[in-house]
Amino acid sequence: MNAHVLQLLPRAPGSLDGVGDYALKMARGLRDEHGIDSVFIAQETSSDSRIEDFSTFPMAEFCRARAPRETCDGIIVHYVNYGFQKRGVPLTLAGFLKQLRRECGAALLVIFHELFASGPPWRSEFWLQPLQKKIARDVACLADARLISCDSMRRQLEKLCPERSATVQPVTSTWGEPKFDDAQLRGRDPHCWMVCGGTALLERSLRSFLKTVSAIPDEFAPRKLSVVGGAFNPHIRALLNTPSKFSSEYFPEVTPEAAAPMFAEAAFAWVDYFASGNVPGDVLLKSSSFSALCAHGIVPVAPAVSGAIAIDGDTLPGPFTVSQIPQDRGNVARTIFAWYHRHASLAVLARTIAQQLQLA
């Protein structure tokens, strides 16, 4: 008989939501690699339904039903404080999880996609940060195991809850994990670029790319740009309609299967992930878009970089700035591709989850 886990998350998979896509990918990996079935419990979903072969319940309906709890062998919480409450203060979450773990008798694993927000005094996150930290600490201390996507966030979490440790597990690609040989990685046109991500990341990245593109050395200057992901955004369409020296294509609301050819041909990608400065570079490991680039052997280029990215001393090349674009792109692409499969692939994620829940 297969083991069953509950995955609690803000929005059900299939709603153009990054955490939902990640949870669905994880469910596939747990089922295919370890025979572990998932049931999604989502705060936002229209009704009881099935996503692919996985059952989905609204949070309110789940609270009134006992059946999913009776067959539960593990609980996975995707902690996104702003997803569970619009101000980032889900006050009742820790109490609910404590009761759920007691009723199920199963191990509780919390995956921290966010911890708390920072902002200037005229924004609510400035005043709510102490409460956000308290809730994150309460949830972390309640959990039997904790996952965090990068070492910088792990250090933040362990300051909040020093008596509990956390395991670093980078976010996996939600855009697929194709197999490429060395020739396919090396043979890409160095003038083929892409920008990918959710709606906000896509627009921010495209705006800064257009401001910077003239500084890219001629041997790497884009002749073709693919802009992939997010919901349709008229601002992106308008930006791409401005005169430029390269051709461009825009693919909003595209499936991973339809986007695969763009990922397979791109040599470089522009990533403007950080809305503010002084953020450690390894925070990129919480981005499924960045993971997708690595999974496809695409060399990321960013406006600025702060610190190296490494897991257990194994350093990921880059990300690079315009002045640091590597001449040996093919070797760098191969190294990035291999690093991803050592540390961030779906198989690695599924194994880590199963081990943390003691189901492996």
Side-chain angles (χ1 to χ4, degrees):
M1 181 181 296
N2 286 358
H4 291 76
V5 297
L6 303 178
Q7 290 201 47
L8 277 66
L9 68 167
R11 284 174 288 279
S15 56
L16 282 178
D17 176 73
V19 174
D21 293 342
Y22 176 80
L24 180 58
K25 195 82 173 178
M26 178 192 301
R28 293 172 184 157
L30 289 172
R31 177 196 58 198
D32 298 343
E33 299 284 339
H34 300 280
I36 300 172
D37 289 330
S38 291
V39 175
F40 296 116
I41 311 298
Q43 184 162 300
E44 295 181 19
T45 184
S46 56
S47 61
D48 294 0
S49 59
R50 295 188 70 82
I51 305 295
E52 298 182 4
D53 294 328
F54 305 106
S55 296
T56 301
F57 291 88
M59 185 79 76
E61 179 66 26
F62 172 78
C63 291
R64 295 191 294 268
R66 298 194 60 85
R69 310 180 196 200
E70 294 171 354
T71 59
C72 171
D73 299 295
I75 305 165
I76 301 170
V77 179
H78 297 272
Y79 186 80
V80 188
N81 57 338
Y82 279 93
F84 283 111
Q85 204 277 337
K86 66 179 182 179
R87 296 290 188 181
V89 286
L91 294 170
T92 62
L93 183 61
F96 170 71
L97 295 177
K98 185 175 182 180
Q99 178 182 350
L100 179 60
R101 189 179 64 169
R102 183 171 61 247
E103 292 177 358
C104 292
L108 170 63
L109 167 66
V110 178
I111 302 174
F112 285 93
H113 298 276
E114 297 175 352
L115 290 174
F116 53 86
S118 302
W122 55 88
R123 294 183 61 89
S124 63
E125 54 263 37
F126 177 86
W127 303 101
L128 293 174
Q129 187 186 97
L131 187 53
Q132 290 182 359
K133 288 182 175 180
K134 179 185 183 304
I135 295 170
R137 179 172 61 249
D138 291 345
V139 171
C141 291
L142 178 66
D144 297 291
R146 292 144 291 276
L147 286 191
I148 203 79
S149 56
C150 65
D151 200 52
S152 295
M153 290 182 66
R154 180 192 60 79
R155 290 193 294 269
Q156 286 183 330
L157 180 60
E158 291 185 350
K159 285 182 180 179
L160 295 179
C161 190
E163 63 271 29
R164 300 287 189 272
S165 63
T167 298
V168 174
Q169 176 59 55
V171 169
T172 198
S173 166
T174 56
W175 291 94
E177 296 177 348
K179 295 180 180 179
F180 296 119
D181 58 30
D182 283 0
Q184 290 170 312
L185 292 170
R186 293 174 183 274
R188 297 180 187 176
D189 182 352
H191 302 285
C192 187
W193 286 66
M194 80 178 307
V195 178
C196 72
T199 309
L201 173 60
L202 210 60
E203 181 176 347
R204 181 169 66 247
S205 294
L206 181 58
R207 287 185 183 279
S208 64
F209 178 78
L210 294 176
K211 292 178 181 178
T212 310
V213 65
S214 61
I216 297 175
D218 290 343
E219 61 265 42
F220 308 116
R223 295 173 186 165
K224 180 180 179 181
L225 175 70
S226 297
V227 180
V228 179
F232 176 78
N233 184 340
H235 299 294
I236 290 177
R237 175 63 72 193
L239 287 168
L240 293 176
N241 284 338
T242 58
S244 64
K245 295 182 179 180
F246 54 85
S247 64
S248 62
E249 295 179 296
Y250 180 29
F251 301 93
E253 301 179 27
V254 65
T255 65
E257 293 75 19
M262 283 74 78
F263 278 96
E265 69 177 1
F268 296 101
W270 183 259
V271 184
D272 192 354
Y273 187 73
F274 304 116
S276 59
N278 301 318
V279 180
D282 68 347
V283 175
L284 280 166
L285 296 181
K286 66 179 287 191
S287 166
S288 60
S289 298
F290 181 78
S291 291
L293 300 177
C294 297
H296 289 79
I298 301 170
V299 177
V301 183
V305 180
S306 178
I309 297 174
I311 299 290
D312 296 330
D314 187 3
T315 302
L316 175 71
F320 302 93
T321 62
V322 166
S323 63
Q324 301 168 333
I325 295 178
Q327 295 291 330
D328 58 342
R329 185 209 59 82
N331 284 329
V332 170
R334 184 181 62 176
T335 304
I336 290 172
F337 182 77
W339 189 96
Y340 172 86
H341 283 277
R342 286 196 300 274
H343 297 291
S345 68
L346 181 57
V348 173
L349 171 65
R351 183 176 67 244
T352 300
I353 297 289
Q355 288 173 345
Q356 294 292 315
L357 290 173
Q358 299 183 18
L359 296 175

